[in-house]
Amino acid sequence: MASRAPVRFPGSGGPGVNKHLSPRSARSDSMGERRRVSAWSEDGGARAGGDPGGGGGRLVPLLRGIFHVEKTSCDVSLTSSRLLWSPIRPDTPGSSKVQAQPQEASIELKDIFSVKLKRRRLAGQEKGGTLLGLTIFVCIRKGHKLKEKAIDFHNLSEDFCDIWHRQLKEILNGFPNRPKCLKVIINPHSHKGEAPNVYYRHVAPLFKLADIQAHVTETNYKGHALTLLKECELQEYDGIVCVGGDGTVSEVVHGLLLRAQMDAGKTVNGNLSPVRAPLPLGIIPSGTTDVLAYSLHGIKHPVTAALHIIMGNIQPVDACTFSTEDKLLRFGFSSMFGFGGRSLALAEKHRWMPSSQRRDFAVIKTLASLKPDSCELSFLPISSQQLPFHHKRKHEDSLPEDKDEWKHIGGELLNVSIMAIPCLCSMAPGGLAPNTRLNDGTMELIIVRNTSRPEFVKHLKRYATQKNQFDFPFVETHLVKEVKLCPQNTQNGNGFYEHTELSEDLHPWNIDGDLLEASSEVHVR
């Protein structure tokens, strides 16, 4: 059985926007029970101070002075929301020509993530040195990608620069959600062992620049992150950062939400109504597909993810619970049963192969022996009254009225996908589940009935194109809030195991890239 859990993640947004994930408590509304996690993200920008009118008259400057910017003397003003400067052009004696108004440049303070005193130092000198002025570090946006930019403001006065430095630091410290201390969990085995290099080369220098303390742990075995989060003193941190692929992220999310239930004194079983996790989660992509990071940021780019975390924007993200009759199996975001589960199970048997080759081999091998699963599928669709606004025009005519009525489907199915997020990736730029959103309270149920191998391959190929991958007579989709799936001819026990070798009584599930095997009905909420 699975249910939606609130989670927060880092996202993408305007210049200087950042995404970070943090599980939130469950809430009850017309959509039913949902859990949500929060992440640092581009859509949750925060501002400190600012012009109440957002663009009316100029604010009274907090500070004003002269700096050299790009070798030009400039009149620089600091307000509560912006840093502005314009070149100083003195009148030419004896000239009767009207001087053109100097062009003013500015940056919003919300886009600044660090300010440092700039000094000239000798080789090997770590402290002191000749003061040159201030360096302002700004987060700028180009498409989905974020990057840093340094702007130098030169002035040789120690007292003058110290006043500006302290004032800017005070303003930056007032922005909400910007972390000061983070717990970083790195999976050193993720995607050819690239995760440590990604963190120490691209992310750690940015955290240091932003004066963020990072306590780093590299995992040594599967389940290490889960154990760590159960025992860690979470109150010491402003957030958790995960460096790895989808499997690592899923384990950390599961650990965060599970820890929240333990701290709240909840009984963890199949009927759990989860509470919110106390911390946001930042995701640094360093895996093969990185579906969750791609869905959050619109791009697989570690620097973008790091800047989303630094800038402190929060993005709520829906999650699900997966459970049997009386046992919570795990929290997660997406799942596949049938073809998706079988191909992952086969890939797990060949972990000695490089990750990309292993994935392609498993897909081709599973296609060669393609066969349907006999299933009983029940789902609770979203009613027209519960439909999120962005779906209404497209779906409301085909949805039931405002009453909870379970629908039932039986027969031979090639694949069943249940996804609470769009699941964007380089192989499916439009998303595996394009009809759901990060936090709209819906899951997309995608059912692929039995068909010929060539037709099924056509359906799979559509994911990589701009064409509608669901425009086939054997494919149907539904927006739902609960799903129950029971393979036929299986015992109704509660056994659920994490194996790489399948037995006749176990059925493989692909949950966020992790293989789980169930021998009974699974309930997803």
Side-chain angles (χ1 to χ4, degrees):
M1 188 173 135
S3 44
R4 279 206 141 178
V7 186
R8 295 180 293 165
F9 293 84
S12 32
V17 177
N18 221 324
K19 291 197 174 182
H20 174 208
L21 171 71
S22 143
R24 301 194 311 180
S25 62
R27 51 183 184 158
S28 297
D29 54 19
S30 61
M31 300 286 298
E33 284 186 322
R34 292 182 290 175
R35 332 289 178 265
R36 181 165 291 146
V37 181
S38 303
W40 279 297
S41 156
E42 73 186 357
D43 298 323
R47 300 172 184 264
D51 183 353
R58 180 187 295 273
L59 292 177
V60 177
L62 301 174
L63 293 173
R64 186 173 183 180
I66 297 176
F67 288 89
H68 273 74
V69 184
E70 296 180 350
K71 299 182 181 181
T72 302
S73 292
C74 293
D75 180 7
V76 182
S77 299
L78 174 67
T79 73
S80 59
S81 62
R82 302 181 76 85
L83 183 65
L84 310 97
W85 64 95
S86 58
I88 298 173
R89 295 179 182 174
D91 293 336
T92 303
S95 173
S96 60
K97 293 182 178 180
V98 178
Q99 296 286 330
Q101 185 71 21
Q103 186 174 2
E104 184 178 73
S106 69
I107 50 177
E108 294 191 56
L109 297 187
K110 69 180 182 64
D111 295 335
I112 299 174
F113 67 89
S114 183
V115 56
K116 301 291 183 183
L117 291 169
K118 183 179 182 180
R119 298 182 182 275
R120 180 189 292 119
R121 293 182 176 135
L122 301 175
Q125 184 179 3
E126 296 183 358
K127 295 183 178 180
T130 304
L131 179 71
L132 299 177
L134 298 171
T135 300
I136 307 293
F137 295 91
V138 185
C139 177
I140 62 176
R141 179 184 178 90
K142 187 175 182 180
H144 290 296
K145 185 178 293 186
L146 302 183
K147 63 179 182 178
E148 61 164 310
K149 179 181 180 180
I151 305 174
D152 293 325
F153 292 78
H154 290 104
N155 189 301
L156 303 183
S157 171
E158 288 273 2
D159 292 340
F160 181 77
C161 289
D162 183 63
I163 292 172
W164 279 76
H165 181 257
R166 283 189 285 107
Q167 181 69 68
L168 284 165
K169 291 284 285 186
E170 181 180 343
I171 293 174
L172 295 185
N173 289 335
F175 287 113
N177 299 329
R178 293 196 178 185
K180 298 299 180 186
C181 186
L182 296 170
K183 180 64 182 177
V184 180
I185 300 174
I186 302 175
N187 179 1
H189 306 292
S190 177
H191 190 49
K192 304 178 183 177
E194 291 181 359
N197 179 58
V198 166
Y199 175 76
Y200 290 110
R201 184 177 178 182
H202 299 290
V203 179
L206 288 173
F207 283 174
K208 182 178 180 181
L209 193 60
D211 298 319
I212 295 175
Q213 289 185 323
H215 299 249
V216 180
T217 298
E218 294 190 12
T219 57
N220 298 320
Y221 54 88
K222 186 173 183 179
H224 188 180
L226 181 60
T227 302
L228 180 68
L229 289 168
K230 285 182 178 180
E231 302 171 352
C232 185
E233 297 294 335
L234 296 182
Q235 66 272 16
E236 298 178 3
Y237 305 107
D238 299 316
I240 307 296
V241 174
C242 174
V243 188
D246 290 324
T248 308
V249 174
S250 180
E251 182 180 332
V252 172
V253 168
H254 178 64
L256 273 174
L257 286 169
L258 199 60
R259 171 64 181 271
Q261 315 318 308
M262 294 167 54
D263 291 346
K266 291 272 188 176
T267 300
V268 180
N269 56 31
N271 297 316
L272 174 70
S273 296
V275 299
R276 171 182 181 171
L279 295 177
L281 172 65
I283 302 170
I284 307 297
S286 57
T288 304
T289 52
D290 296 298
V291 164
L292 188 53
Y294 205 116
S295 298
L296 282 166
H297 310 139
I299 191 173
K300 178 182 173 181
H301 189 239
V303 170
T304 294
L307 286 171
H308 278 308
I309 295 168
I310 292 168
M311 300 305 289
N313 297 333
I314 301 296
Q315 170 64 55
V317 178
D318 290 333
C320 304
T321 58
F322 296 81
S323 53
T324 55
E325 193 171 310
D326 61 356
K327 180 181 179 182
L328 174 70
L329 304 174
R330 69 175 301 156
F331 296 96
F333 300 100
S334 63
S335 62
M336 287 185 283
F337 177 87
F339 177 81
R342 290 182 183 279
S343 59
L344 178 61
L346 183 59
E348 289 296 304
K349 294 181 180 180
H350 296 80
R351 297 232 21 124
W352 52 270
M353 299 175 66
S355 57
S356 59
Q357 294 180 21
R358 180 172 69 242
R359 181 188 62 216
D360 294 343
F361 166 80
V363 168
I364 294 172
K365 191 79 171 176
T366 308
L367 279 173
S369 57
L370 185 66
K371 62 179 181 179
D373 289 279
S374 183
C375 306
E376 291 182 0
L377 182 68
S378 303
F379 60 92
L380 190 59
I382 297 293
S383 71
S384 58
Q385 299 297 320
Q386 299 166 332
L387 191 67
F389 177 78
H390 61 269
H391 284 308
K392 282 191 178 294
R393 179 174 297 181
K394 184 176 180 181
H395 296 282
E396 63 182 347
D397 292 340
S398 61
L399 292 174
E401 296 299 324
D402 189 18
K403 60 180 181 179
D404 291 342
E405 183 177 340
W406 284 84
K407 306 294 184 183
H408 304 278
I409 293 176
E412 295 187 332
L413 308 178
L414 283 178
N415 192 72
V416 177
S417 298
I418 308 164
M419 299 181 173
I421 62 174
C423 293
L424 306 179
C425 63
S426 58
M427 294 175 292
L432 299 176
N435 293 324
T436 191
R437 298 292 185 269
L438 289 174
N439 65 329
D440 67 355
T442 69
M443 298 186 295
E444 185 163 15
L445 171 63
I446 305 165
I447 303 167
V448 182
R449 296 180 181 274
N450 193 20
T451 187
S452 66
R453 185 182 295 108
E455 287 297 302
F456 184 65
V457 171
K458 286 181 183 179
H459 162 65
L460 295 181
K461 286 183 175 180
R462 285 276 184 93
Y463 281 98
T465 69
Q466 298 298 319
K467 296 180 180 180
N468 182 5
Q469 64 264 39
F470 307 135
D471 189 20
F472 292 93
F474 53 88
V475 179
E476 58 183 278
T477 66
H478 304 272
L479 289 176
V480 301
K481 47 188 176 180
E482 289 187 57
V483 177
K484 296 179 181 179
L485 192 152
C486 182
Q488 293 183 348
N489 302 321
T490 61
Q491 298 178 354
N492 290 323
N494 293 323
F496 197 90
Y497 310 93
E498 295 193 22
H499 292 312
T500 55
E501 296 292 330
L502 296 177
S503 70
E504 292 182 358
D505 295 328
L506 297 176
H507 297 268
W509 283 75
N510 180 340
I511 300 181
D512 296 330
D514 275 351
L515 176 64
L516 296 179
E517 297 166 14
S519 60
S520 62
E521 179 183 86
V522 174
H523 186 181
V524 186
R525 288 191 292 130

